[in-house]
Amino acid sequence: DADVTQTPRNRITKTGKRIMLECSQTKGHDRMYWYRQDPGLGLQLIYYSFDVKDINKGEISDGYSVSRQAQAKFSLSLESAIPNQTALYFCPPSCLAGETQYFGPGTRLLVL
Amino acid sequence: AQKVTQAQTEISVVEKEDVTLDCVYETRDTTYYLFWYKQPPSGELVFLIRRNSFDEQNEISGRYSWNFQKSTSSFNFTITASQVVDSAVYFCALSEAIQGAQKLVFGQGTRLTINP
């Protein structure tokens, strides 16, 4: 496993609130990602990062921002949460294309 | 663009039956990777297998087996002698290289229910 820690594991917030989801990994992977899984659906990529100076948008980046504070840490922010952002969020790191990504338990977010 | 289709939204079988989950993919890449993940009710995504596009050998791991056929762009997953613990949502995914990183394109998932 890639030893990834996501905090919080569960969060309930209200519409309009700012919220940050944090992700840290201990394996030294340079690439980190944020995915979102809507209830009953597959996963979609929000943002990805090669290193602290390189941040890239995925397919559903609107309404989100990220910060790569260090190689091991990649945070996802919802500036003004909306109910449509209720989902399970995953932060799987990896090194190279084709490498297996381990997703872990994720962060479950409910926006009321 | 890459695409993964899991046409079976839900499957329900009785314990000990064999069950096959279908996965069909679309890609223009000559080198790519395919994955299967299991998502039990806890929500965690559990990695099951990775297959690269150059390796068409079928894979067997205990009661699990995978049939990769490049000619039909399919990567199907069979559970033999299913058990209640196999109940979960199963996702097939295809790697897409993006500027040296990897994006996984997921299918919609198949919810598998094994009834005792």
Side-chain angles (χ1 to χ4, degrees):
Chain A
D1 218 345
D3 206 10
V4 175
T5 302
Q6 286 185 236
T7 55
R9 289 286 306 278
N10 295 280
R11 180 71 183 266
I12 300 174
T13 191
K14 294 182 179 180
T15 297
K17 294 290 187 181
R18 184 179 189 276
I19 183 171
M20 179 181 289
L21 308 183
E22 299 189 349
C23 175
S24 62
Q25 49 104 357
T26 61
K27 293 294 187 181
H29 293 282
D30 50 5
R31 291 158 175 78
M32 296 185 75
Y33 306 76
W34 275 104
Y35 281 86
R36 163 181 149 177
Q37 182 184 20
D38 291 339
L41 297 178
L43 282 71
Q44 295 175 284
L45 182 63
I46 308 173
Y47 272 95
Y48 61 102
S49 167
F50 290 105
D51 59 37
V52 295
K53 297 179 182 178
D54 193 306
I55 305 289
N56 301 277
K57 293 182 178 181
E59 53 192 323
I60 55 165
S61 59
D62 288 349
Y64 299 95
S65 63
V66 291
S67 172
R68 186 83 183 264
Q69 302 97 321
Q71 186 191 32
K73 296 186 176 183
F74 193 35
S75 301
L76 176 73
S77 293
L78 287 67
E79 298 302 325
S80 179
I82 58 175
N84 281 352
Q85 292 174 315
T86 292
L88 188 53
Y89 290 84
F90 293 98
C91 173
S94 73
C95 286
L96 300 171
E99 187 177 65
T100 297
Q101 286 182 289
Y102 295 94
F103 283 77
T107 293
R108 198 174 295 275
L109 176 65
L110 173 61
V111 183
L112 300 175
Chain B
Q2 320 277 66
K3 185 179 178 181
V4 175
T5 301
Q6 295 180 255
Q8 305 148 308
T9 305
E10 294 191 30
I11 299 175
S12 181
V13 300
V14 177
E15 199 172 19
K16 298 184 182 177
E17 285 187 19
D18 298 348
V19 58
T20 295
L21 309 182
D22 297 333
C23 173
V24 175
Y25 62 92
E26 297 176 26
T27 180
R28 293 180 183 174
D29 294 344
T30 54
T31 301
Y32 53 90
Y33 296 82
L34 293 161
F35 302 81
W36 275 95
Y37 288 87
K38 174 182 179 180
Q39 188 173 45
S42 64
E44 180 172 359
L45 268 178
V46 179
F47 165 75
L48 294 178
I49 191 171
R50 180 186 74 164
R51 171 69 69 212
N52 74 54
S53 54
F54 294 106
D55 184 359
E56 291 195 66
Q57 284 189 348
N58 290 334
E59 177 93 9
I60 298 175
S61 177
R63 297 183 297 105
Y64 295 172
S65 63
W66 290 268
N67 182 10
F68 175 36
Q69 292 197 344
K70 222 169 172 179
S71 60
T72 56
S73 298
S74 64
F75 186 41
N76 297 336
F77 173 31
T78 297
I79 301 175
T80 303
S82 60
Q83 300 177 1
V84 173
V85 293
D86 295 328
S87 296
V89 181
Y90 290 85
F91 291 96
C92 180
L94 168 68
S95 66
E96 177 181 346
I98 43 173
Q99 301 170 311
Q102 171 178 264
K103 169 187 172 181
L104 288 183
V105 178
F106 283 82
Q108 297 283 65
T110 296
R111 180 176 300 277
L112 176 63
T113 302
I114 310 298
N115 299 298

